[in-house]
Amino acid sequence: MTKPYIVVLGNEKGGTGKSTIAMNLIVSLLKQGASVASVDVDVRQGTLSRYIANREKTKEKHDIPMPFHISIEKSDNMNYNEAKKEDEKKLIDTVENLQKYNYIIIDTPGNDTFLSRTAHSLADTIITPLNDSFIDLDVLVKLENAPVESLKPSIYSEMVWEQKKEKAKRSGGSIDWIVLRNRLSSLFSKNKKETRKILENLSKRIGFRLLSGFCERVIFRELFINGTTLFDLHETEVCITLSHVAAKQEMFELLNALEIPVKRKEMLEEANKQMTVA
Ligand SMILES: Nc1ncnc2c1ncn2[C@@H]1O[C@H](COP(=O)(O)OP(=O)(O)OP(=O)(O)O)[C@@H](O)[C@H]1O
Ligand SMILES: [Mg+2]
């Protein structure tokens, strides 16, 4: 049996689009016939869990596929080391019990927690969405008025680096790290160009792949309440616009960039072709 492919949405900066992209990724994989388990380790905010609960209600009226969903509470043990151990064990055991699924998608909070660290260490791919601002970039490198070549990795990059080592130690495996920009404006701006330049430079130094990402689109904000995504528009009789088609294309680029096992990748590409034509 092939092991599940684990994708973790992560960034220690809040509000960059982790839960939104997680949900669109989950549904796009389900629509291609894959079995998907989703795990929410951001129980305090619980956006992904609430998104899926809204979807359960819509399912009463429309035939839409569901992931198997679990949310994991962090330990309330006051002892630092014991809480760390408990959280690591809880998540590792949960993933162990999800081995029959093709994909496990884990949504993490916009801050540093033991559960989030453990999730990163279990990932085959980490997807880090960033908004197009220097404040968001500062999570990857300590931004200061100096040449980009001399900027030092920042807290989140260091955490990903540690978890890459953790995974190598635990299973000998590696982690593919994808950074993408989210909520991009369609207009040219100096800031947008500058951010891209810095990210391209950092990509080689810090060890991530840079994807073109997602534009700012109303559709991403509208569908939460029904628990639906770009990939449910036919079933829920939403009028499809050019902006929706473009957004789907952005999502396909992300799917195609995932380094999933070759056989599954062929299935994905075939399904993508059919969905683009439909
Ligand atoms: N491409 C986009 N276009 C327009 N709005 C977007 C886009 N991506 C995300 N959003 C909106 O941005 C806000 C933050 O998104 P989301 O909750 O997915 O971020 P997050 O990284 O999970 O946040 P947190 O760190 O708080 O968990 C939401 O209102 C969401 O609807
Ligand atoms: Mg979130």
Side-chain angles (χ1 to χ4, degrees), residues 6 46 73 76 109-111 117 134 156-157 189 193 201 206 227 247 264:
I6 304 179
E73 299 255 7
D76 54 10
N111 57 339
R117 282 179 175 246
F134 290 138
Y156 183 68
S157 304
S189 81
K193 194 172 150 206
N201 185 292
I206 303 189
R264 225 178 274 156

Side-chain angles (χ1 to χ4, degrees), residues 31 55 58-66 231-232 234-237:
K31 297 287 270 189
R55 188 172 179 85
T58 300
K59 191 173 169 54
E60 290 167 12
K61 289 199 218 113
H62 299 281
D63 184 21
I64 50 174
M66 298 296 298
F231 298 92
D232 301 298
H234 277 294
E235 287 73 5
T236 48
E237 291 139 32

Side-chain angles (χ1 to χ4, degrees), residues 19 42 45 47 107:
S19 305
D42 183 10
Q45 190 162 265
T47 308
D107 189 29

Side-chain angles (χ1 to χ4, degrees), residues 14-20 45 182-183 215-217 220-221:
T16 60
K18 296 179 288 295
S19 305
T20 307
Q45 190 162 265
N182 187 25
R183 309 192 68 168
C215 286
E216 167 78 28
R217 296 184 198 281
F220 284 116
R221 294 197 299 269

Side-chain angles (χ1 to χ4, degrees), residues 26-274:
I26 290 164
V27 178
S28 65
L29 292 167
L30 286 169
K31 297 287 270 189
Q32 290 160 16
S35 58
V36 182
S38 49
V39 182
D40 191 354
V41 298
D42 183 10
V43 170
R44 189 175 158 77
Q45 190 162 265
T47 308
L48 184 65
S49 304
R50 305 219 318 102
Y51 209 141
I52 289 171
N54 291 346
R55 188 172 179 85
E56 287 281 1
K57 290 209 187 89
T58 300
K59 191 173 169 54
E60 290 167 12
K61 289 199 218 113
H62 299 281
D63 184 21
I64 50 174
M66 298 296 298
F68 175 75
H69 185 70
I70 294 190
S71 55
I72 302 184
E73 299 255 7
K74 70 175 189 171
S75 162
D76 54 10
N77 196 320
M78 299 301 277
N79 179 295
Y80 180 93
N81 287 324
E82 283 172 19
K84 179 170 182 278
K85 245 197 221 155
E86 281 174 20
D87 281 349
E88 281 170 2
K89 181 168 172 9
K90 221 182 310 175
L91 186 52
I92 290 171
D93 288 352
T94 301
V95 165
E96 226 16 76
N97 287 327
L98 296 173
Q99 294 297 303
K100 67 173 182 187
Y101 292 92
N102 299 139
Y103 295 91
I104 302 175
I105 312 295
I106 310 181
D107 189 29
T108 66
N111 57 339
D112 185 16
T113 66
F114 297 136
L115 283 173
S116 177
R117 282 179 175 246
T118 310
H120 282 73
S121 77
L122 293 168
D124 292 304
T125 294
I126 296 170
I127 300 175
T128 300
L130 286 180
N131 286 334
D132 224 18
S133 95
F134 290 138
I135 294 179
D136 275 34
L137 257 185
D138 198 54
V139 181
L140 293 182
V141 276
K142 291 177 185 140
L143 273 188
E144 52 196 24
N145 211 350
V148 62
E149 297 75 22
S150 61
L151 298 177
K152 301 268 179 310
S154 195
I155 41 165
Y156 183 68
S157 304
E158 276 170 6
M159 194 275 266
V160 171
W161 181 242
E162 267 176 46
Q163 301 317 315
K164 281 185 177 182
K165 285 195 286 188
E166 188 59 38
K167 180 169 181 186
K169 202 166 71 188
R170 192 187 306 125
S171 64
S174 60
I175 303 177
D176 178 35
W177 185 16
I178 292 176
V179 171
L180 52 84
R181 293 191 296 168
N182 187 25
R183 309 192 68 168
L184 283 167
S185 128
S186 51
L187 303 172
F188 172 83
S189 81
K190 199 166 161 245
N191 188 60
K192 194 168 151 187
K193 194 172 150 206
E194 202 54 32
T195 318
R196 172 156 202 104
K197 214 171 86 191
I198 297 176
L199 280 171
E200 276 168 356
N201 185 292
L202 292 179
S203 145
K204 294 174 214 103
R205 282 181 43 216
I206 303 189
F208 58 77
R209 291 192 289 141
L210 182 63
L211 295 195
S212 44
F214 297 90
C215 286
E216 167 78 28
R217 296 184 198 281
V218 180
I219 184 89
F220 284 116
R221 294 197 299 269
E222 280 177 345
L223 299 176
F224 171 80
I225 197 140
N226 294 326
T228 55
T229 69
L230 280 173
F231 298 92
D232 301 298
L233 302 178
H234 277 294
E235 287 73 5
T236 48
E237 291 139 32
V238 173
C239 180
I240 297 175
T241 67
L242 269 181
S243 168
H244 299 159
V245 176
K248 260 187 172 179
Q249 200 46 48
E250 289 167 352
M251 197 67 213
F252 287 147
E253 275 166 32
L254 172 58
L255 285 167
N256 287 332
L258 296 181
E259 289 182 340
I260 51 185
V262 175
K263 206 147 187 211
R264 225 178 274 156
K265 185 135 194 158
E266 282 165 9
M267 275 168 54
L268 250 177
E269 279 165 4
E270 187 49 37
N272 285 352
K273 259 190 245 151
Q274 285 173 13

